[in-house]
Amino acid sequence: MQREVHVVGGGLAGTEAALLLAEAGVRVVLHEQKPNVRSPAHKEDGLAELVCSNSLRSDNPENAIGMLHEELRRLGSPVLEQADLARVPAGDALAVDRLKFSGGLTARVREHPGIALTYEEVRELPAGPDLCIVATGPLTGESLARSLAEAVGAKQLAFYDAIAPIVLGESVDLSVAFAQSRYGKGDGADYLNLPLTKEEYERFVDELRRGEKVKPHEFEEARYFEGCLPIEVMAERGRDVLAFGPMKPVGLHDPRTGARPHAVVQLRREDKAGTAWNLVGFQTRLTWPEQKRIFPTCIPGLQKAEWVRLGQVHRNTFLNAPQVIAPDGTLRSRPHVYCAGQITGVEGYVESAASGHVVARRVLERLQGREFAPPPGTTAIGALLRHVTGEAHPPDYEYQPTNVVYALFPPLAEKHRKNERKARMLARARRDLAAWALERNVALAPLPEKKWRSPELRS
Ligand SMILES: Cc1cc2nc3c(=O)[nH]c(=O)nc-3n(C[C@H](O)[C@H](O)[C@H](O)COP(=O)(O)OP(=O)(O)OC[C@H]3O[C@@H](n4cnc5c(N)ncnc54)[C@H](O)[C@@H]3O)c2cc1C
């Protein structure tokens, strides 16, 4: 196991991968561009810098993110270990002292005899044959991004995400929505359609124009890709732009009236099971409180909407992973190159660390001549991988970054009371992670002592 592994980018994913590999005896060269070169969001010199909030979100394992925390802790994640050491009181959330968090990981990297830390900007994809992990994040430098685009095809690398809101299927009023595909295409009923009258549409346009928007970061140009303009920008451009755009009613007729609505909000499956639906073409920079105000009040059928995720548009370099990343985690066009972190289309500090964790295990098993089998899709880590491989999504899914959410998990085999569902998802994940670890001879720390409130599960 002589060959050294190059890790490009000392963020959440890169630091996790470098420490995990080094602690398994692999020689690692970690290339970090700071302090010589800095992305516009990075201010500190340390590794694993938290560029915005100091919260790693809920620690409650009944939430998908809390389950991810628990799995990473049990698998010995250096990032979660340091987060627990740097923890600050924040209710159910795992919040940290960001300097202690980054400082602790930086010290571990610097002191590790198996890691050579070089402060340099990598401008080209390493040519190999040594294996390398590219974990340069959402604000990857321009020249490396260009080299990556050359390797995967320019269309397969996005620089802005355009995220539309996702609503929980069971919270959509099916007495209003009608299932139909435009012109009866596909199975004829692949979409749920929410019809708007002219008055409802005009009111919606007014609210979009008035609604409060997220101010772009100074490094975010407010120039958008024509193909995915935020809906409020379309509304600004003309009162009927939406009605001839994402809300066009052509090819749709309300089966209850036989009439064609004035405008329609189309919902498309986010996951094969149809537990979550995204609002087609509704990428937006409206603030989250405004989305929660405007959409239920203006769009018939969404009055009781429960949001799996709200919309956003921001600078975010990411690959169309299902197309360009092979099942073994390497770039299809560069089998010595792995990608990890936000650049693979996961969203969030912990999701990025989890991605670095999995890639490190893949590299380790490859160096040991074994094939890596990821944790099952019923675990939080496995569910995140179902997103990156595309397995969680229907074939026509437009790949966009996501946090770990329950829509990425395979649905439970049986129907359960709503307030029991999360506890059952957690029980299933814990059972399957333990079985995977046993079969793969992977060390798994015991379940944490801490008991979280959960309903009595009737068998
Ligand atoms: C403005 C902004 C705010 C965010 N806020 C949050 C938040 O509040 N909560 C949350 O969970 N997530 C947030 N994210 C999303 C995301 O979780 C973080 O970006 C996360 O840090 C991604 O982890 P990563 O390891 O993929 O990349 P990063 O943590 O960004 O690490 C990439 C590292 O690579 C280095 N690098 C880049 N290019 C090169 C190069 N060519 N050569 C060498 N080194 C290089 C960078 O200096 C950096 O240290 C935010 C993202 C952005 C852009």
Side-chain angles (χ1 to χ4, degrees):
M1 208 165 38
Q2 295 313 297
R3 291 162 62 178
E4 57 193 13
V5 173
H6 292 261
V7 178
V8 184
L12 281 298
T15 305
E16 175 83 5
L19 282 167
L20 217 61
L21 286 167
E23 275 151 24
V26 176
R27 278 218 314 267
V28 173
V29 181
L30 176 57
H31 308 262
E32 169 51 50
Q33 65 180 8
K34 294 187 305 181
N36 311 321
V37 178
R38 240 176 250 290
S39 90
H42 289 89
K43 304 285 181 268
E44 309 292 338
D45 291 351
L47 301 175
E49 180 180 347
L50 302 181
V51 291
C52 188
S53 142
N54 71 328
S55 169
L56 279 62
R57 309 192 329 266
S58 172
D59 210 23
N60 178 344
E62 285 192 10
N63 296 328
I65 184 63
M67 190 195 289
L68 189 59
H69 291 181
E70 178 181 292
E71 290 175 8
L72 286 171
R73 281 190 186 105
R74 299 185 70 195
L75 289 168
S77 155
V79 162
L80 262 291
E81 222 170 282
Q82 187 57 35
D84 289 337
L85 292 170
R87 187 173 199 146
V88 294
D92 269 8
L94 172 57
V96 298
D97 170 327
R98 68 180 75 236
L99 294 180
K100 194 170 168 195
F101 172 78
S102 165
L105 287 165
T106 308
R108 273 180 77 167
V109 166
R110 283 212 185 108
E111 288 152 18
H112 199 293
I115 303 179
L117 177 54
T118 70
Y119 294 110
E120 59 172 331
E121 181 193 7
V122 174
R123 302 173 68 81
E124 291 279 324
L125 273 185
D130 282 345
L131 302 182
C132 82
I133 301 174
V134 174
T136 45
L139 302 175
T140 294
E142 212 152 311
S143 22
L144 183 62
R146 198 175 313 112
S147 172
L148 204 46
E150 275 156 24
V152 300
K155 284 207 172 59
Q156 307 298 351
L157 186 70
F159 294 93
Y160 274 80
D161 58 28
I163 293 177
I166 298 176
V167 63
L168 202 59
E170 65 190 28
S171 72
V172 175
D173 183 346
L174 296 180
S175 70
V176 173
F178 62 90
Q180 198 175 93
S181 306
R182 243 179 247 291
Y183 305 108
K185 286 197 190 124
D187 298 353
D190 295 345
Y191 291 78
L192 287 178
N193 302 284
L194 305 172
L196 284 80
T197 62
K198 180 161 177 35
E199 297 65 37
E200 288 163 339
Y201 173 77
E202 295 299 339
R203 178 165 171 241
F204 180 52
V205 170
D206 292 338
E207 285 294 343
L208 284 180
R209 289 179 167 187
R210 270 198 296 267
E212 194 195 333
K213 286 90 185 181
V214 174
K215 304 226 169 353
H217 290 276
E218 78 279 355
F219 56 81
E220 288 181 321
E221 296 154 33
R223 67 171 172 78
Y224 301 109
F225 301 122
E226 284 302 318
C228 59
L229 288 173
I231 49 170
E232 63 276 7
V233 173
M234 287 189 253
E236 293 289 347
R237 289 191 175 184
R239 296 199 68 82
D240 290 330
V241 171
L242 285 169
F244 288 93
M247 298 177 72
K248 62 180 180 288
V250 288
L252 297 167
H253 291 79
D254 188 330
R256 294 159 296 210
T257 61
R260 190 169 89 168
H262 176 79
V264 166
V265 175
Q266 284 211 301
L267 305 182
R268 179 174 49 217
R269 279 169 211 283
E270 182 67 19
D271 61 322
K272 286 182 185 143
T275 63
W277 298 71
N278 68 65
L279 281 62
V280 178
F282 268 51
Q283 54 276 348
T284 175
R285 288 196 82 115
L286 285 170
T287 64
W288 288 2
E290 284 289 72
Q291 292 180 50
K292 287 181 189 164
R293 177 181 69 80
I294 294 173
F295 296 152
T297 46
C298 293
I299 302 174
L302 292 184
Q303 280 57 49
K304 294 202 176 67
E306 287 175 49
W307 303 101
V308 174
R309 188 186 62 195
L310 288 159
Q312 63 188 42
V313 177
H314 57 43
R315 175 88 171 70
N316 190 353
T317 303
F318 67 98
L319 293 159
N320 183 359
Q323 298 305 318
V324 301
I325 295 185
D328 70 354
T330 61
L331 288 182
R332 293 181 194 281
S333 60
R334 300 281 190 288
H336 70 286
V337 177
Y338 293 81
C339 289
Q342 185 115 348
I343 203 161
T344 65
V346 299
E347 169 92 23
Y349 299 143
V350 184
E351 288 86 345
S352 298
S355 164
H357 188 101
V358 169
V359 166
R361 285 183 181 274
R362 285 186 191 282
V363 169
L364 198 54
E365 301 229 1
R366 178 169 170 178
L367 291 174
Q368 294 160 346
R370 293 202 305 258
E371 187 155 330
F372 176 73
T378 51
T379 65
I381 293 175
L384 210 49
L385 286 174
R386 291 179 86 237
H387 168 64
V388 174
T389 59
E391 191 200 337
H393 304 294
D396 61 352
Y397 174 73
E398 277 167 32
Y399 192 69
Q400 283 292 327
T402 185
N403 294 127
V404 61
V405 289
Y406 275 127
L408 301 177
F409 291 65
L412 291 167
E414 291 141 20
K415 277 214 160 304
H416 294 283
R417 285 185 311 159
K418 195 157 178 214
N419 71 345
E420 270 192 25
R421 217 169 289 149
K422 288 185 175 182
R424 288 187 180 276
M425 295 284 252
L426 176 60
R428 178 183 69 172
R430 285 174 168 171
R431 185 196 62 225
D432 294 354
L433 186 73
W436 169 80
L438 192 63
E439 191 198 324
R440 308 287 311 173
N441 196 16
V442 168
L444 194 62
L447 278 173
E449 290 303 309
K450 178 163 182 177
K451 289 277 168 282
W452 294 78
R453 292 178 320 301
S454 65
E456 221 25 66
L457 298 185
R458 274 178 290 159
S459 55

